[in-house]
């Protein structure tokens, strides 16, 4: 049985005081990390403070992006060495907003996945199709391509540790959740792609989250699906009460 991982992606929201009070309200109230991994994906400026505040608790901290180089002339970027130095444990890679607005590609996602593992950071690799792609029946081929490219060159053991987040772009921030059957169908497909590209053991171990308008009211049904091992949540992760309900759902 794969342990669920529930990650709240704050995106570009909150000022430091809000971020700190969220963490104060949740860090001692999330379930044990033995039962579910509870993660907040915070903006870069807050990572240092939040990692310090959550030390010794079951709440983990993630970055929302990083560069793949360790250091150098990359103005405005943050490296895996910096994240590791701060104690960040996860990093979101290839979120559709990064792909759409910041020219993230399957190739850079793959470079970043390697860089994350090289520095002991767990990657949460996002994949997903647009509404147009879904309506023209490209979803399965597109997702297979994104998954294979993101995982290229990783060892079987690294693939087992990777978290893949399936986020249909048409369901992000729109209030339109994929039905649990639609979400599971793609997550099952992702597992099959991993089995073919890597191994059946890797496919059995890899954790696949669903993301796109997840909220306390629909999380149970989504997490009850055979191939959904967690959720990557935007809007409904911004309030502590809602986040706590979501992580609690991950224990069932
Ligand atoms: O990273 C999270 C996703 O983009 C989902 O966002 P949402 O829950 O606001 O739809």
């Amino acid at each position: 049985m794969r342990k669920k991982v529930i990650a709240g992606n704050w995106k570009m929201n909150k000022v430091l005081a809000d971020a700190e009070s969220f963490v104060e309200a949740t860090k001692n109230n999330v379930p044990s990390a033995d039962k579910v991994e509870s993660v907040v994906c915070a903006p870069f400026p807050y990572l240092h403070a939040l990692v310090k505040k959550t030390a010794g608790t079951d709440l983990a901290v993630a970055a929302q992006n990083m560069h793949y180089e360790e250091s150098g002339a990359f103005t405005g970027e943050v490296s895996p060495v910096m994240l590791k130095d701060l104690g960040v444990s996860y990093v979101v890679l290839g979120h559709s907003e990064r792909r759409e607005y910041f020219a993230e590609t399957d190739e850079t996602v793959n470079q970043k996945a390697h860089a994350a593992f090289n520095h002991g950071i767990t990657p949460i690799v996002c994949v997903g199709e647009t509404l147009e792609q879904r309506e023209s029946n490209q979803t399965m081929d597109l997702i297979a391509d994104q998954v294979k490219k993101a995982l290229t060159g990783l060892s079987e053991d690294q693939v087992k540790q990777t978290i893949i987040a399936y986020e249909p772009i048409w369901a992000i921030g729109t209030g339109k959740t994929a039905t649990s059957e639609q979400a599971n169908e793609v997550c099952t497909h992702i597992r099959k792609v991993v089995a073919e590209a890597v191994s059946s053991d890797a496919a059995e171990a890899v954790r696949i989250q669903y993301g796109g308008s997840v909220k306390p009211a629909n999380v149970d049904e989504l997490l009850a699906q055979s191939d959904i091992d967690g959720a990557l949540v935007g809007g409904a992760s911004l309030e502590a009460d809602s986040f706590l309900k979501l992580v609690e759902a991950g224990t069932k």
Side-chain angles (χ1 to χ4, degrees):
M1 171 109 171
R2 294 175 291 269
K3 188 168 43 156
K4 302 263 190 325
V5 50
I6 309 291
N9 178 12
W10 291 349
K11 307 192 179 184
M12 196 173 72
N13 290 295
K14 297 189 185 292
V15 294
L16 179 60
D18 298 336
E20 289 184 325
S21 49
F22 178 106
V23 163
E24 284 302 332
T26 54
K27 66 180 186 181
N28 295 316
N29 294 313
V30 294
S32 160
D34 294 341
K35 293 189 176 158
V36 59
E37 287 167 47
S38 306
V39 184
V40 283
C41 313
F44 287 134
Y46 312 149
L47 294 174
H48 183 50
L50 299 190
V51 168
K52 279 185 147 184
K53 267 192 183 298
T54 54
T57 76
D58 292 304
L59 183 60
V61 176
Q64 299 174 10
N65 177 40
M66 68 175 196
H67 199 281
Y68 49 82
E69 292 287 354
E70 296 188 349
S71 63
F74 301 102
T75 301
E77 290 292 322
V78 172
S79 82
V81 173
M82 296 169 185
L83 296 182
K84 187 63 187 173
D85 184 47
L86 293 184
V88 169
S89 352
Y90 304 77
V91 63
V92 178
L93 300 178
H95 190 282
S96 62
E97 290 148 16
R98 303 273 339 150
R99 292 178 191 255
E100 183 177 358
Y101 307 128
F102 302 98
E104 191 81 81
T105 64
D106 291 327
E107 289 68 32
T108 55
V109 171
N110 177 246
Q111 286 172 294
K112 292 177 180 193
H114 280 274
F117 280 118
N118 289 341
H119 295 281
I121 301 169
T122 300
I124 301 176
V125 174
C126 304
V127 297
E129 82 286 3
T130 62
L131 187 56
E132 196 186 359
Q133 287 162 335
R134 173 161 281 265
E135 287 176 343
S136 55
N137 290 322
Q138 295 176 57
T139 300
M140 296 309 191
D141 286 349
L142 178 101
I143 299 291
D145 197 51
Q146 287 180 330
V147 168
K148 281 189 266 185
K149 285 179 173 163
L151 302 181
T152 297
L154 295 180
S155 69
E156 182 187 35
D157 194 46
Q158 288 171 335
V159 172
K160 287 180 182 177
Q161 294 170 54
T162 300
I163 298 166
I164 299 174
Y166 168 55
E167 298 207 314
I169 295 166
W170 47 272
I172 296 176
T174 59
K176 277 189 197 169
T177 320
T179 64
S180 41
E181 291 75 23
Q182 281 174 320
N184 196 50
E185 183 187 24
V186 180
C187 293
T188 302
H189 176 63
I190 291 172
R191 208 174 293 289
K192 194 165 149 247
V193 169
V194 174
E196 284 165 8
V198 186
S199 70
S200 52
D201 283 356
E204 189 51 39
V206 70
R207 286 175 304 163
I208 305 173
Q209 296 176 312
Y210 167 76
S213 299
V214 177
K215 44 189 182 286
N218 61 21
V219 69
D220 286 335
E221 189 183 335
L222 287 160
L223 295 183
Q225 301 300 310
S226 59
D227 285 298
I228 300 180
D229 308 313
L232 182 58
V233 188
S237 73
L238 290 169
E239 299 299 329
D241 286 357
S242 174
F243 179 75
L244 286 172
K245 286 181 190 152
L246 294 166
V247 294
E248 193 57 44
T251 65
K252 294 175 193 162

